[in-house]
């Protein structure tokens, strides 16, 4: 499906900016730029985990039903959000039908989604059919059974909603690869700069108040980092100022409110936000402010879009979406989640990570580079494990392009052309038939022999062992995301021996409050 397409492999010659002098006295070592380059690919061959062709497993009719029209979907929505909650909604039905593949409704249902009926795939064997674009169509399915108004994206269906069979998909994905490739040398230094600010702010706030919200600080740091690394533009020096993160959150809310728990009283939340769309006009002025920032900052990418034959405004709406929804949204969910899992793992893991990371950086002339990070196997495994245990984008959808047979571990199921397949990724990546101690955070799970399991890590909308291309729907920023996630862990443990957190919930991911940061002592 994607074999002929060029793909992005970040083999960055990357350097890191020298640490600001204010930091140097407290850091265990100083940093001097050197250049190094290393492959990001894991040292094991890519393995395709697309669903296999039918074998001898007994054919079973897909169990479950959709209930009475209108009533069934609303009942299922209330179960999903409130009466059971998402995990229990799926678990209880697996029990009831004795099957990880069954029929159910997915929110939002009436009046927003024209048809909420799906076939749910809730194990690691059936799930990967959702990546096989020869079998499923991905058109307008990015947010599931409903699509937000294109008024929220300049009137365009942006890349995330396009199927690879649509000609614009390849052009726009190429543009994303161009952006990422052009700016690759900026990632490590700009990450260091933005997240040094974050840590300094956290320290100040903890000193003053005894605790600090990681989420709030991360929103500002992530937005600054993305703007500076991808576009060379510092938001504070433009008319956008520091408003970026707040505007993005409001704009994302207008797109995702039908499927989020916002923490409002149940009745209001469900009868308003899950039943009707918020009018896009209410966020237009803010969106335009964001758009102007991108139009001013992204000239070099818009020049490339001219060359590709994509109108500049369409390209700019796509850059805004990829940066603010895909990238900022992803970092907003994943970074607190990763901190939560590493925080909960405790002092033993923290010490091991600090030792490994500092030793690899010291051996690399005190530089954080791709090469240095290749010598941090525990850090790499820890990041993969965070992606496995709590994939940041948990819901995936695909429409059967033709009649096909899907296999779970126990049965095969006949699916009709046009049926909507849905996968809840955490149930695939915590499948006990694939992973031992699947519900536990095992930081060293992917070390050594464990690397063979990387093909079952699926956060990027594809196996970790495969590569995004213009022919597939895998996250265009896969390597970038892996890199910045590793950088967060590296920066954290270069600076601190350990840390403590408190964890709550939020509409997107976890709410993490840092209660202590222990400065590096070795
Ligand atoms: C933690 C951060 C990120 C996460 C968790 C993430 C996750 C994902 C996922 C799950 C998809 C597939 C959605 C679907 O079709 O079901 C996706 C697609 C996409 N992502 Fe990312 N992403 C992240 C960051 C980025 C970055 C940094 C970029 C780069 C600009 C990016 C660009 C895209 C694009 C363009 C697509 C659509 C690909 C296509 O249509 O072929 N993402 N991402």
């Amino acid at each position: 499906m994607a074999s002929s397409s060029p793909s992005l492999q970040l083999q960055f010659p990357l350097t890191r900016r020298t640490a600001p002098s204010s930091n140097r006295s407290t850091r265990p070592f100083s940093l001097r730029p050197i250049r190094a380059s290393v492959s990001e690919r894991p040292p094991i061959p890519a393995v395709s985990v697309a669903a296999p062709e039918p074998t001898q497993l007994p054919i079973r009719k897909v169990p479950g039903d959709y209930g009475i029209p209108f009533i069934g979907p609303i009942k299922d929505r209330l179960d999903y959000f409130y009466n059971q909650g998402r995990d229990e909604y799926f678990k209880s039905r697996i029990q009831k039908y004795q099957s990880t593949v069954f029929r159910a409704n997915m929110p939002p249902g009436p009046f927003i989604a024209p048809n909420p009926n799906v076939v749910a795939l809730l194990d690691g064997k059936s799930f990967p059919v959702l990546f096989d674009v020869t079998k499923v169509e991905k058109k307008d399915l990015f947010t599931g059974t409903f699509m937000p108004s294109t008024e929220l994206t300049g009137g365009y269906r942006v890349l995330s909603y396009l199927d690879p069979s649509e000609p614009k998909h390849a052009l726009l994905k190429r543009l994303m690869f161009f952006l990422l490739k052009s700016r690759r040398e900026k990632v490590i230094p700009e990450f260091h700069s933005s997240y040094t600010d974050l840590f300094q702010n956290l320290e100040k706030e903890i000193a003053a108040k005894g605790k600090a919200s990681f989420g709030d600080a991360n929103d500002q740091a992530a937005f600054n980092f993305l703007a500076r690394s991808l576009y060379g533009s510092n938001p504070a020096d433009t008319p956008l100022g520091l408003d970026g993160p707040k505007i993005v959150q409001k704009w994302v809310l207008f797109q995702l409110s039908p499927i989020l728990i916002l923490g409002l009283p149940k009745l209001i939340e469900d009868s308003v936000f899950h039943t009707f769309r918020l009018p896009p006009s209410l966020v237009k002025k803010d969106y335009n402010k964001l758009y102007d920032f991108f139009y001013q900052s992204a000239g070099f990418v818009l020049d490339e879009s001219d060359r590709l034959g994509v109108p500049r405004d369409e390209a700019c709406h796509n850059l805004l979406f990829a940066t603010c929804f895909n990238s900022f949204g992803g970092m907003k969910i994943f970074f607190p989640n990763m901190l939560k899992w590493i925080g909960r793992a405790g002092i033993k893991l923290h010490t091991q990570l600090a030792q490994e990371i500092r030793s690899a950086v010291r051996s690399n002339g005190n530089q954080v580079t791709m090469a240095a990070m290749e010598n941090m196997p525990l850090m790499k495994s820890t990041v993969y494990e965070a992606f496995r245990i709590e994939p940041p984008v948990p819901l995936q959808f695909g429409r059967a392009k033709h009649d096909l047979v899907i296999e779970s571990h126990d049965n095969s199921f006949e699916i009709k052309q046009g049926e909507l397949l849905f996968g809840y990724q955490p149930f695939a990546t915590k499948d006990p038939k694939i992973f031992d101690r699947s519900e536990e955070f095992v930081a060293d799970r992917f070390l050594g022999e464990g690397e063979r399991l990387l093909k079952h890590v699926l956060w990027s909308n594809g196996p970790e062992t495969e590569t995004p291309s213009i022919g597939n729907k895998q996250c265009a920023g896969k390597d970038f995301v892996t890199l910045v996630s590793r950088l967060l862990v590296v920066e954290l443990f270069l600076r601190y021996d350990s840390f403590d957190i408190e964890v709550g919930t939020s509409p997107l991911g976890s709410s993490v409050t840092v209660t202590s940061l222990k400065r590096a002592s070795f």
Side-chain angles (χ1 to χ4, degrees):
M1 82 194 129
S3 51
S4 61
S5 336
S7 62
L8 179 76
Q9 278 204 34
L10 300 187
Q11 303 201 342
F12 297 179
L14 281 166
T15 59
R16 163 173 171 166
R17 189 180 285 165
T18 306
S21 53
S22 59
N23 278 348
R24 224 180 269 157
S25 58
T26 51
R27 286 181 83 95
F29 37 77
S30 67
L31 301 164
R32 200 166 30 84
I34 59 156
R35 297 178 81 83
S37 134
V38 71
S39 167
E40 258 297 274
R41 314 252 41 221
I44 50 171
V47 185
S48 173
V49 293
E53 289 308 315
T55 57
Q56 295 83 3
L57 284 173
I59 290 256
R60 182 176 170 192
K61 184 171 169 277
V62 180
D65 64 77
Y66 302 119
I68 305 167
F70 194 77
I71 308 285
I74 290 180
K75 189 181 163 298
D76 279 355
R77 180 169 83 207
L78 293 172
D79 282 349
Y80 179 95
F81 284 124
Y82 307 110
N83 302 335
Q84 295 184 295
R86 192 161 65 186
D87 281 31
E88 197 48 39
Y89 180 79
F90 296 124
K91 263 186 207 155
S92 62
R93 284 160 177 78
I94 292 175
Q95 282 303 321
K96 179 172 165 193
Y97 303 124
Q98 288 297 301
S99 174
T100 49
V101 175
F102 55 80
R103 295 182 187 282
N105 294 300
M106 277 297 286
F111 297 107
I112 295 173
N115 182 357
N117 302 163
V118 302
V119 174
L121 311 176
L122 301 179
D123 60 80
K125 191 171 172 200
S126 60
F127 187 95
V129 72
L130 293 165
F131 307 142
D132 187 342
V133 293
T134 65
K135 292 186 175 157
V136 300
E137 188 192 61
K138 298 281 292 180
K139 194 173 172 182
D140 297 340
L141 296 178
F142 179 61
T143 45
T145 57
F146 77 106
M147 182 181 165
S149 166
T150 52
E151 277 180 61
L152 292 161
T153 47
Y156 291 105
R157 288 171 58 239
V158 289
L159 178 54
S160 287
Y161 292 95
L162 303 183
D163 186 72
S165 63
E166 300 178 74
K168 271 279 161 65
H169 177 270
L171 291 177
L172 290 169
K173 204 158 182 182
R174 244 189 247 289
L175 192 68
M176 298 304 155
F177 291 155
F178 170 82
L179 165 70
L180 291 163
K181 206 167 169 212
S182 311
R183 303 292 302 173
R184 60 190 176 184
E185 298 204 14
K186 308 294 178 196
V187 178
I188 292 182
E190 292 298 352
F191 192 92
H192 174 68
S193 152
S194 301
Y195 278 80
T196 298
D197 289 349
L198 170 137
F199 289 127
Q200 285 171 346
N201 291 337
L202 288 180
E203 285 173 27
K204 275 190 218 136
E205 210 177 321
I206 293 172
K209 299 185 198 155
K211 58 183 180 177
S213 157
F214 178 76
D216 293 345
N218 183 53
D219 285 352
Q220 202 61 60
F223 193 83
N224 287 340
F225 159 68
L226 289 166
R228 293 171 188 163
S229 65
L230 294 177
Y231 304 100
S233 185
N234 185 29
D237 304 335
T238 73
L240 184 60
L242 299 179
D243 295 344
K246 286 274 163 308
I247 296 181
V248 174
Q249 279 175 81
K250 183 172 168 191
W251 170 69
V252 168
L253 175 74
F254 273 65
Q255 297 166 73
L256 296 185
S257 58
I259 49 169
L260 293 182
I261 293 193
L262 304 166
L264 301 169
K266 236 197 281 196
L267 201 68
I268 299 179
E269 189 170 86
D270 202 65
S271 56
V272 178
F273 292 90
H274 298 157
T275 309
F276 302 100
R277 291 168 190 265
L278 297 171
S281 56
L282 295 183
V283 72
K284 193 158 179 63
K285 203 166 145 228
D286 284 329
Y287 181 80
N288 287 345
K289 204 169 165 189
L290 212 50
Y291 180 87
D292 289 344
F293 171 76
F294 278 87
Y295 203 83
Q296 295 307 321
S297 312
F300 70 103
V301 201
L302 301 181
D303 293 345
E304 177 67 9
S305 75
D306 280 341
R307 279 190 285 278
L308 288 168
V310 178
R312 282 174 96 84
D313 71 319
E314 181 171 3
C316 191
H317 288 293
N318 270 281
L319 292 174
L320 188 161
F321 193 89
T323 311
C324 297
F325 196 113
N326 299 126
S327 312
F328 175 82
M331 288 170 78
K332 181 178 171 58
I333 299 171
F334 185 62
F335 278 17
N337 281 352
M338 186 163 67
L339 209 66
K340 172 183 77 180
W341 288 107
I342 296 176
R344 281 178 178 166
I347 184 85
K348 186 166 168 236
L349 176 66
H350 299 176
T351 308
Q352 287 170 336
L353 284 170
Q355 279 166 345
E356 177 188 90
I357 289 166
R358 291 173 202 173
S359 147
V361 172
R362 282 191 186 117
S363 312
N364 194 47
N366 287 333
Q367 295 306 306
V368 175
T369 61
M370 301 285 281
M373 285 190 281
E374 285 306 310
N375 290 323
M376 302 175 189
L378 179 62
M379 179 280 289
K380 287 167 57 183
S381 174
T382 303
V383 172
Y384 288 136
E385 178 67 348
F387 274 122
R388 179 197 74 83
I389 200 157
E390 199 168 4
V393 182
L395 315 180
Q396 267 80 41
F397 296 82
R399 196 174 297 285
K401 279 191 164 167
H402 43 77
D403 291 358
L404 52 100
V405 174
I406 287 175
E407 288 188 347
S408 68
H409 293 291
D410 311 310
N411 288 101
S412 34
F413 300 90
E414 287 171 345
I415 304 293
K416 287 268 165 264
Q417 179 181 10
E419 291 205 80
L420 187 58
L421 304 172
F422 152 75
Y424 183 49
Q425 197 182 128
F427 280 30
T429 55
K430 292 192 290 182
D431 183 336
K433 294 203 164 117
I434 294 175
F435 290 104
D436 286 341
R437 294 153 72 200
S438 60
E439 297 286 335
E440 278 174 56
F441 183 79
V442 181
D444 60 3
R445 185 185 294 279
F446 298 101
L447 282 186
E449 265 291 284
E451 278 194 356
R452 75 194 151 76
L453 291 167
L454 280 176
K455 63 175 185 277
H456 301 290
V457 175
L458 309 173
W459 71 269
S460 64
N461 200 36
E464 195 57 35
T465 44
E466 291 186 9
T467 309
S469 75
I470 57 170
N472 66 23
K473 283 292 285 177
Q474 193 162 18
C475 174
K478 175 176 176 253
D479 288 351
F480 179 94
V481 173
T482 308
L483 173 58
V484 298
S485 305
R486 290 174 180 179
L487 285 172
L488 179 66
V489 182
V490 169
E491 293 286 350
L492 181 68
F493 287 105
L494 282 177
R495 219 179 148 91
Y496 305 108
D497 286 345
S498 183
F499 63 99
D500 292 305
I501 51 166
E502 286 166 2
V503 179
T505 54
S506 84
L508 292 174
S510 310
S511 153
V512 172
T513 304
V514 185
T515 53
S516 82
L517 289 165
K518 300 181 186 66
R519 291 301 300 250
S521 64
F522 61 91

